[in-house]
Each structure stands twice: as structure tokens, then as C-alpha cells.
Amino acid sequence: MELQPNPNSPHVAVNIGSSSANETRSPRVGIDRPPIFVLSFTDITYKVNQSKKLSLSSFTKSSKGDSAERPRVRTLLDSVSGEAKEGELFAILGASGSGKSTLIDALANRIARESLNGTICLNGENLESRLLKVLSAYVMQDDLLYPMLTVKETLMYAAEFRLPRSVSKEKKKKRVEELITQLGLEAATNTIIGDEGHRGVSGGERRRVSIGIDIVHDPILLFLDEPTSGLDSTSAFMVVEVLKKIARRGSIVMLSIHQPSYRILNLLDRVLFLSRGQTVFYGPPSSLSMYFAEFGTPIPDNENPTEFALDQIREREATMDGARELVEFNKTWKRQHPDLFSSDRGDTPHIPLDQAIVGSFASGRLVSGSNGTNSMTVASVRKFTNPFWIEMGVLMKRAFTNTNRMPELFMIRLGAVLITGIILATIYWRLDNTPKGVQERMGFFAIAMSTMFYTCADALPVFMQERYIYLRETAHNAYRKSSFVLSNAIVSFPPLILLSIGFALTTFFAVGLDGGMMGFFFYTAIILASFWAGSGFVTFLSGIVSHIIVGYTIVVAILAYYLLFSGFFINRDRIPEYWIWFHYMSLVKYPYQAVMQNEFSDPNKCFVRGTQMFDNTPIEPFNQSTKVEVLASISSSLHMSLTNTTCITTGPDILQRNSVQDLSKWNCLWVTVAWGFFFRFLFFVWLLVGSKNKRK
């Protein structure tokens, strides 16, 4: 059904870049009366099954059919209700494990709806997941930012993601500048975020930047999971003060907070105390004194009401009944003071959701879902703000900017590759064409090709470090997963070219490999393909494994298996049938066979002549005259003319002996390239099915 504008509603004018001179005014100039949004949640219940640890007693009880072995169900949220209005700062408080973050996740659609009982409504209508992603933003507890970007760049990239291309570059810059002022970050505008190795902004500034990237599109609903965690009292107050301003600009701001100071308490409009998932108190902070006075434990003068309340909750949680007495009293107290909860009965006037959303789009809010017209339907809200190619461009630009400011990472990797190449070049310097030279060339190829894959292991931490940034940004459809995967592959490719050329130049001519310039170019190409396949494999693995140490262990183990089954240590013909599949799965097999054929494909090049056939045999220690006599005897017996210059083994003979002719060298190259694409496709599939933003 198409949404028609309400003829009685005030006229709204589009003005995306305007700033607010008065914090209590509408978020955009030109709005006489902003649409009113009311978020209500009723009887929210969330239960999870707890797995029991295995023990001998558990097996014994299970064998006896003991009913106590049924899965334990733990209630994380138990019939929690409340309401938050546009312009309000709503805080959820409680001790650790009380359910604060769980309730925030439930309201922010970060828990699968089928696992929740109860209703969550906006303006009286159930919120759909797709619409909620456009209406809301979620700020995680940890500050997940790119360390080498400045504050302004970080917010600008967020604007590029969340604001559509219909908004001009100038208006996006103006929005970012307005946001910097709103967040109080003027002094840190051009300061990098920083990390352990690079000095950057302070902890409080980092937290405000984290908030800024999620409110750049001016969302109606803002959820924050303990935004003051780890901050000193002054920084915490500044963060909550910023949140208060955001609420006054026309947003519903809900946050979980552990133990607010008295100054922070004065900024809150409504608080909800939880104990083991149950509501202990719900209402305006000013009513806390009356609540505990009527309960029989009045709050002493000059004591922080929230600290007193949390102390009362902790004392009762230590008993067998827990805070049940406070939970029951809260229900009675709420009925006795209906004037404090008049809005919860539906008395708060609000515009119907469809008209409120249309008004928000028309006023320039929620532009991340807008299609550039004032007449639209809720169903027409776009899932993604920008087209695929714009997402790709922004992602690549951000990644290049961040990595280019840390050149030491690439230089270390290049240094490792060059040092490895120099060591191999000096060990295998100018190999000859004798049988020993053939064996040494094969050893060089096996080590060189496996080195390509081992040096790719340094890419393992890259996605592990970006994992939660990716989860945060895709949770609200900032960009497509396919855009992320392709941009990741494109950004990682140019360094591989430099690494390949460096290793090829270091080793090809020093070792004395065959093929001339065409052979050198193919050698460089297969090294590049190996880097490409190896980085794809490591990227895919980084998506599955969340711990760096475990990831390195798996990479080293699997690459060792790849080398074992590559065909160097044991020929393909000698591999047992039940392991032959691993031979064809080996990433080292194809580059190894490619360089072998690049080296030994010339039938006119001889590697064993005359008495050289006795090398690596018991006859090798004998003097040359004896070898010539033995060769003459063999020649006579075989009725052949074998002299010391007769070619016994050519390059193709070596290839046939080592069973490396099942694929041509070019096919080996294309297969190696295909492995790189295949692993990146698996990485994409894993992001689709394995990287969920929701709890079950």
C-alpha cells in the first residue's frame, strides 16, 4: 500500500546539510513539528539452552535414564517491558550478568526474532528487520576503527557508505563537519585514530568517533552497548552528554550502562534496572528516591541513587530468592503510581508509523534508505544505500588509505621474500645440467613454490582484525558482502605483483634457470599466481578461524600437507589411491609442475650424458676410465653405440620420470589462478552463512 502524506501534518522541507542552533529544535531546519516516534517493548522474554559439561557422572546418569540430564534452560530476559520516546535518553542498568546487553541486542534485532517472546513496536506497529536496519544504528562496546584514518576521514567514509549518491559531496562534507562539532571533536579532526603502535586520539574521543560513524545518517533509533565502558568519569560524562544532544535532535537513544555517576544520572530521562533478566525498577530517575522510600530503604542524602540501587540489588542477588522482593514491589509500585507511566498506556500522541517515516524521509532524515523522492512506500525502502560500484570504490579507497600509512608492513613482507630469495639463490647458485644439478633444481622448485604460500600467512590477521568492523558495518547494510570480498581481493593484489617480481629477479638468473626471457616471464607469472592462491586460502581461513594462534597452526599444518602431496617427495604414481585426492587438492602441486615443465620441456637439452648415468649409483666412486669401460660393455651388450657424449636423459624424460605431465604448464598456471578465485568465493559464502550478527 502506498503511503499518502497526511494533509494535517506540517509541511517539511528537504535540507540535509543544515545545522541546528538550538538542540531542542527539530533535527532539520524547515520542520515546524517533527514526527513523533515511540518505541515500546512488552513482555520480552529470552531463554537459552545451556550445554552441560561432559563427565563420568553424566554418562552414568544418562545410562540410568536420569531425568536430571535434560538440557538446562536459562532465562536471560524475563517479561521485560518499557517504552522510549523520541528525544529521550533511555538507560538500562544492572550488575554484570543482569541482562543489559541482552536487552539492547533484543531491541536492536541482534537476536533472532524466533528466539524471543514478546512484542517490539514502533508507533504501535511491529518492526520488520529490514525497516529497523534503516531506522536504527547500533554502537558496540568496543571501538572498532581503522587506526591510520583521521577522525574526519573515518566519518567521511561512513557518510559515503550511509548517504546515497543523490547527496552531493559538498553536503556530505557539511554533514561530517556538523557531526564533528556535535561530537566535540574539533580539536581531533585531523588526528589519526591510532592503535598500540601509533599514538592517536584519546579513549573518549575514540568512543565519540564510534558513535559518530553510526549516526552520520541521522537514525531515529540509536542503541549503544555500554558506551562509557573503560572511560574516566569526565570522558564518560562527555559521551553521555553527546548522546543527550543526539536525543534532543529527534532520536530515541537507548544505552546500557554499568554504574553512572550522579552527573550522568541527571542527563537520563528514563532508567530500567535489571536483575537476572527481571525488571527491578522502571521509570524516571527522579522517582528513584520515592521508590526506595516506599520500599522501606530510603536513599541517604548525598548518595548517588544509582549506586544505592545497585547495592540493594547485589545484596539481594546474593540470597537464594535473589531480587524477587524488588521485582514484585516494582509491579505493585507501578500500579500505585499510574501518573508516572501515562505514556506507557498509549496516552502519548504519535503520528502513525507510515506517515512518520514518510515525513522523516521528506525532512532529509533517514537518507540512507531514501530514493530521492518524497512520495514513497515503506516497502520501497532500499536495502542498500548505494549501488555496488560505489561501495567498491569507497571500500578500496579506505583500505588503500589505511594500508598506505603503514608502509612498514609491506616492507617487512617484501624484506622476508627478498631474504628468502637471496638465501635460495646463494645455496643453489648457478646449477649445472648434471644429474645432481637436476635433483638440486627440483629441490629448489619445491622450496621456492612452497615459500610463496608460507609467506602469505601474514595476511591471516588482516580480516581477523577487521572482522568486527565488517560485522558492525554490514549489520545495518552499509555495503554488500560481495563488495567487501571483491574490494579486499583487488586491494591485496598490487603488493603481490611487487613481491613476485622481487622474488623472480632474485632467484631466476642467479640459479641459472632455463627458458630465457619467456621462461622468466612465465616463472614470474606462476609465482604471482601462487601468491594469489595462497592469499586467497589464508583469507578464507581467516574468516573461519577467530584466533590468530589457531589460524597460524592450521595454515602451517595444511601447507605442510600440500608440500608432501605436491609430487616432489613422492611421485603421483606412487601415492596410494586413498590419498590421491589430496594430491589434486594440493596448492603446491600445480606451481611445482608448472616450473618443472618450464625448466625441462626442451627435448633438445640434455641432462645426462655418457658416464653421467652412473651418478648416484655404486659405480660413481670409480675413476673415469673404469666408467668408460663399463659404458662400452653396456653398449656392446645392448648393441648400441654409447659414448661419453651420448645423451641418455633429456628434459621430457625427467618430466615423465617424475609424473608431472598430466597437465601442461599453462593449464597449471590457470588452475593455480582458479584456486585463488575459488577460495575467495568460499570466503564470500562463509560471510553469507557463517558471519551472523544475531544470537540464536
Side-chain angles (χ1 to χ4, degrees):
M1 180 182 70
E2 186 174 355
L3 300 178
Q4 299 295 333
N6 184 358
N8 298 321
S9 64
H11 175 70
V12 290
V14 178
N15 192 346
I16 293 173
S18 61
S19 59
S20 176
N22 186 344
E23 294 296 344
T24 61
R25 288 195 59 184
S26 149
R28 293 289 178 263
V29 174
I31 304 177
D32 299 324
R33 180 174 64 83
I36 299 175
F37 288 90
V38 179
L39 177 70
S40 60
F41 49 99
T42 307
D43 296 329
I44 300 298
T45 301
Y46 177 48
K47 300 180 179 180
V48 294
N49 292 325
Q50 282 190 316
S51 58
K52 294 179 68 64
K53 294 182 179 180
L54 294 177
S55 64
L56 181 60
S57 60
S58 65
F59 283 109
T60 305
K61 291 179 181 179
S62 178
S63 63
K64 294 180 180 180
D66 196 324
S67 60
E69 290 304 307
R70 289 178 295 182
R72 290 180 55 192
V73 177
R74 183 184 176 190
T75 302
L76 300 183
L77 296 174
D78 189 358
S79 299
V80 181
S81 301
E83 183 180 271
K85 296 185 295 183
E86 180 180 359
E88 284 190 345
L89 194 56
F90 188 113
I92 304 168
L93 295 89
S96 298
S98 61
K100 302 187 301 296
S101 297
T102 303
L103 179 57
I104 287 288
D105 286 348
L107 298 176
N109 194 34
R110 294 174 68 85
I111 299 177
R113 283 292 169 88
E114 58 269 17
S115 302
L116 287 173
N117 291 323
T119 58
I120 302 173
C121 299
L122 186 64
N123 288 24
E125 298 185 23
N126 289 330
L127 267 177
E128 296 180 359
S129 175
R130 178 176 176 179
L131 183 59
L132 181 61
K133 287 186 176 183
V134 176
L135 294 171
S136 67
Y138 181 95
V139 180
M140 295 181 177
Q141 183 174 348
D142 298 322
D143 298 319
L144 307 169
L145 306 167
Y146 284 92
M148 301 310 296
L149 300 181
T150 66
V151 169
K152 186 175 182 179
E153 288 171 340
T154 301
L155 295 175
M156 194 64 205
Y157 283 122
E160 293 284 357
F161 285 129
R162 302 310 301 264
L163 303 181
R165 56 176 175 164
S166 58
V167 179
S168 66
K169 191 79 170 179
E170 290 72 22
K171 288 185 177 180
K172 289 178 182 177
K173 289 181 179 179
K174 191 172 183 180
R175 169 59 181 155
V176 169
E177 291 170 357
E178 173 189 314
L179 196 58
I180 289 174
T181 302
Q182 181 184 358
L183 297 171
L185 294 169
E186 297 94 329
T189 300
N190 297 312
T191 305
I192 64 170
I193 300 300
D195 56 12
E196 295 83 358
H198 304 85
R199 186 176 180 85
V201 298
S202 66
E205 290 170 334
R206 285 173 63 92
R207 189 60 47 87
R208 280 176 274 160
V209 174
S210 296
I211 295 171
I213 60 179
D214 283 310
I215 66 169
V216 69
H217 62 301
D218 214 357
I220 290 297
L221 299 168
L222 178 60
F223 302 99
L224 305 100
D225 184 14
E226 299 204 23
T228 61
S229 176
L231 301 180
D232 59 78
S233 59
T234 301
S235 298
F237 174 75
M238 293 177 66
V239 168
V240 178
E241 194 175 36
V242 166
L243 296 178
K244 182 69 173 181
K245 293 178 182 179
I246 294 170
R248 286 178 175 174
R249 283 172 57 88
S251 297
I252 300 173
V253 180
M254 301 190 70
L255 67 149
S256 62
I257 189 168
H258 184 66
Q259 192 164 334
S261 65
Y262 193 82
R263 290 194 301 167
I264 291 178
L265 182 63
N266 290 332
L267 296 175
L268 306 178
D269 297 294
R270 200 173 297 210
V271 295
L272 187 151
F273 282 85
L274 291 177
S275 174
R276 298 176 182 173
Q278 294 180 300
T279 303
V280 172
F281 172 83
Y282 165 63
S286 58
S287 63
L288 270 170
S289 298
M290 180 173 59
Y291 174 85
F292 281 100
E294 295 182 12
F295 181 70
T297 55
I299 301 175
D301 294 338
N302 301 321
E303 182 164 351
N304 187 334
T306 57
E307 293 180 1
F308 179 84
L310 290 172
D311 289 341
Q312 292 293 316
I313 294 171
R314 290 192 190 97
E315 288 178 9
R316 285 163 176 78
E317 285 180 342
T319 65
M320 183 174 296
D321 290 337
R324 182 182 303 175
E325 187 179 4
L326 281 170
V327 172
E328 295 301 325
F329 178 75
N330 175 68
K331 297 176 182 177
T332 304
W333 187 78
K334 184 176 180 180
R335 290 192 297 268
Q336 292 174 348
H337 299 277
D339 55 309
L340 294 174
F341 306 97
S342 59
S343 63
D344 290 35
R345 301 197 307 269
D347 298 340
T348 301
H350 57 260
I351 299 174
L353 181 60
D354 52 2
Q355 296 180 15
I357 292 175
V358 170
S360 295
F361 278 115
S363 68
R365 296 198 69 172
L366 304 174
V367 288
S368 64
S370 156
N371 60 6
T373 62
N374 293 341
S375 177
M376 61 180 303
T377 64
V378 173
S380 69
V381 173
R382 294 185 300 186
K383 185 176 182 181
F384 296 99
T385 305
N386 289 295
F388 173 81
W389 62 89
I390 290 182
E391 295 174 353
M392 286 275 294
V394 176
L395 284 167
M396 288 190 295
K397 184 179 178 182
R398 182 176 68 174
F400 274 124
T401 302
N402 188 64
T403 54
N404 287 345
R405 291 177 182 169
M406 294 187 289
E408 64 274 11
L409 297 181
F410 173 74
M411 296 307 296
I412 291 174
R413 189 178 182 187
L414 178 61
V417 170
L418 292 179
I419 290 173
T420 302
I422 292 171
I423 292 174
L424 291 176
T426 53
I427 292 177
Y428 295 98
W429 180 264
R430 295 296 180 181
L431 296 178
D432 54 30
N433 294 331
T434 64
K436 287 184 179 180
V438 171
Q439 290 298 118
E440 290 168 351
R441 287 173 193 268
M442 293 170 59
F444 166 77
F445 290 142
I447 297 299
M449 295 303 105
S450 60
T451 297
M452 302 303 103
F453 295 95
Y454 279 109
T455 53
C456 287
D458 68 337
L460 189 65
V462 173
F463 179 70
M464 290 185 179
Q465 294 171 352
E466 297 179 359
R467 178 192 302 272
Y468 295 105
I469 299 178
Y470 160 83
L471 290 175
R472 183 200 66 209
E473 293 176 336
T474 55
H476 292 271
N477 296 337
Y479 47 79
R480 295 164 179 82
K481 294 178 173 64
S482 56
S483 302
F484 178 81
V485 174
L486 287 176
S487 64
N488 177 274
I490 294 173
V491 169
S492 65
F493 190 72
L496 303 183
I497 298 176
L498 298 178
L499 295 176
S500 303
I501 294 175
F503 187 84
L505 287 173
T506 306
T507 57
F508 185 87
F509 300 104
V511 175
L513 300 182
D514 193 32
M517 289 307 299
M518 288 302 298
F520 171 76
F521 288 133
F522 181 84
Y523 178 73
T524 306
I526 196 64
I527 291 174
L528 177 59
S530 301
F531 273 124
W532 167 253
S535 64
F537 166 70
V538 173
T539 300
F540 166 62
L541 192 63
S542 69
I544 299 177
V545 181
S546 59
H547 197 282
I548 293 180
I549 301 301
V550 175
Y552 278 126
T553 302
I554 295 175
V555 167
V556 171
I558 294 179
L559 290 180
Y561 300 146
Y562 282 162
L563 180 59
L564 174 63
F565 288 96
S566 64
F568 170 70
F569 292 103
I570 182 171
N571 287 358
R572 183 182 73 251
D573 298 339
R574 300 278 295 169
I575 298 176
E577 292 184 1
Y578 49 83
W579 281 120
I580 195 65
W581 61 272
F582 210 126
H583 171 71
Y584 291 101
M585 292 288 292
S586 172
L587 295 184
V588 181
K589 159 189 164 63
Y590 301 98
Y592 173 70
Q593 290 192 3
V595 292
M596 283 282 289
Q597 293 186 54
N598 191 52
E599 183 70 16
F600 298 114
S601 59
D602 187 358
N604 297 318
K605 190 169 184 179
C606 186
F607 292 91
V608 179
R609 293 182 182 275
T611 56
Q612 289 180 339
M613 66 184 296
F614 301 126
D615 290 357
N616 299 320
T617 69
I619 302 178
E620 182 179 9
F622 290 93
N623 56 42
Q624 183 64 19
S625 60
T626 304
K627 292 179 182 179
V628 171
E629 293 177 1
V630 173
L631 181 63
S633 177
I634 294 174
S635 176
S636 176
S637 299
L638 296 177
H639 304 289
M640 297 177 61
S641 177
L642 298 178
T643 66
N644 204 28
T645 60
T646 303
C647 183
I648 307 297
T649 303
T650 61
D653 296 330
I654 296 173
L655 297 178
Q656 183 176 8
R657 184 184 305 164
N658 289 275
S659 304
V660 294
Q661 291 181 308
D662 52 327
L663 291 173
S664 69
K665 70 176 186 179
W666 289 104
N667 285 337
C668 288
L669 174 65
W670 303 133
V671 170
T672 306
V673 172
W675 273 119
F677 283 105
F678 176 70
F679 280 117
R680 283 171 173 81
F681 173 75
L682 291 182
F683 178 56
F684 170 67
V685 172
W686 174 255
L687 294 184
L688 287 179
V689 301
S691 59
K692 300 296 183 182
N693 294 294
K694 295 183 180 181
R695 301 194 230 173
K696 294 184 178 180

